């Protein structure tokens, strides 16, 4: 009743740590909540740092053609399966930060392109790292940054330790209005 009285048009929720539990599972009452939103012409948007493939995964194709996705930390937007926002960068904009990551053997760079995810050196992927990667990326290709011909949406860095303490200080110098 509250939703009907208000002029709510959109409800957005972050996925990891908010809507999804630790196993990337939707709440038990999500079916009912989604039905009520649709009955009241409210668009539900899943927002995530994940790629669109990763963000769609918990919804098992059940809702994805009736909802919106804001993915890749806001660089891409989809509604009812159609992309309405795509803020990619040229691979050359990632060269300096990629060189820094390459110098550290514990870091695994994942280049999220417009169509594919790319990992340069799959030998860096330990069994533990593979489990973590599979949470966010269903597939990936092997290829160096310089060989990627599609626009890059984001660069993700896989590190199994404390990334904020150990990695962020190395990469902070590359922060700018684009990265």
């Amino acid at each position: 009743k509250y939703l009907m009285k208000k002029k709510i048009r959109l409800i957005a929720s972050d996925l990891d740590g908010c809507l999804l539990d630790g196993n990337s599972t939707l709440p038990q009452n999500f079916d009912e909540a989604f039905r009520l939103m649709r009955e009241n012409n409210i668009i539900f948007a899943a927002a995530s740092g994940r790629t669109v493939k990763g963000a769609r995964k918990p919804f098992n194709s059940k809702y994805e053609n009736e909802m919106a996705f804001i993915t890749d930390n806001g660089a891409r937007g989809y509604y009812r399966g159609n992309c309405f926002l795509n803020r990619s960068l040229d691979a050359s904009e990632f060269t300096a930060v990629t060189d820094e990551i390459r110098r550290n053997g514990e870091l695994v760079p994942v280049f999220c392109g417009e169509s594919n995810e790319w990992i340069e050196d799959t030998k860096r992927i330990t069994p533990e790292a593979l489990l973590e990667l599979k949470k966010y990326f269903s597939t990936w290709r092997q290829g160096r940054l310089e060989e990627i011909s599609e626009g890059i949406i984001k660069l993700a860095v896989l590190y199994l330790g404390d990334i904020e303490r150990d990695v962020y200080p190395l990469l902070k110098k590359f922060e700018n209005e684009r990265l």
Side-chain angles (χ1 to χ4, degrees):
K1 290 181 179 181
Y2 175 77
L3 295 177
M4 293 174 71
K5 291 178 183 177
K6 299 293 180 179
K7 299 259 181 195
I8 296 172
R9 298 286 181 237
L10 173 73
I11 295 176
S13 176
D14 186 25
L15 293 181
D16 299 305
C18 289
L19 182 65
L20 304 176
D21 66 16
N23 296 316
S24 292
T25 304
L26 291 166
Q28 288 181 336
N29 64 345
F30 186 79
D31 286 337
E32 180 183 354
F34 192 83
R35 180 185 58 76
L36 287 171
M37 285 185 276
R38 293 305 305 141
E39 285 176 4
N40 289 283
N41 295 315
I42 298 170
I43 298 168
F44 175 72
S48 182
R50 296 178 182 207
T51 63
V52 70
K53 287 185 259 182
R56 284 180 174 155
K57 193 174 180 179
F59 297 95
N60 298 321
S61 304
K62 189 173 183 178
Y63 309 100
E64 69 182 49
N65 289 324
E66 296 297 320
M67 60 184 287
F69 292 91
I70 303 162
T71 64
D72 301 289
N73 299 321
R76 296 185 103 181
Y78 298 84
Y79 180 58
R80 294 187 171 177
N82 297 309
C83 183
F84 65 85
L85 174 66
N86 183 23
R87 301 177 86 192
S88 65
L89 301 170
D90 185 75
S92 65
E93 296 187 68
F94 293 96
T95 301
V97 69
T98 299
D99 289 345
E100 185 72 34
I101 292 167
R102 287 173 178 157
R103 287 191 273 281
N104 187 320
E106 293 183 77
L107 304 179
V108 177
V110 181
F111 302 101
C112 301
E114 293 172 335
S115 300
N116 300 288
E117 287 74 48
W118 302 84
I119 296 177
E120 289 192 327
D121 185 359
T122 56
K123 293 177 196 142
R124 289 187 181 198
I125 304 174
T126 65
E128 187 179 20
L130 182 62
L131 288 174
E132 190 67 19
L133 282 170
K134 285 185 174 184
K135 286 182 187 176
Y136 305 100
F137 309 106
S138 55
T139 62
W140 54 81
R141 294 178 175 208
Q142 185 169 351
R144 292 183 55 80
L145 172 65
E146 297 81 6
E147 300 165 350
I148 299 172
S149 60
E150 63 184 313
I152 305 295
I153 303 298
K154 72 175 180 181
L155 165 60
V157 179
L158 173 65
Y159 175 70
L160 297 175
D162 186 335
I163 201 162
E164 190 172 354
R165 181 193 70 217
D166 301 335
V167 179
Y168 180 67
L170 295 172
L171 304 181
K172 182 178 167 95
K173 62 187 168 199
F174 300 107
E175 280 186 29
N176 60 45
E177 61 278 348
R178 302 276 290 164
L179 298 178

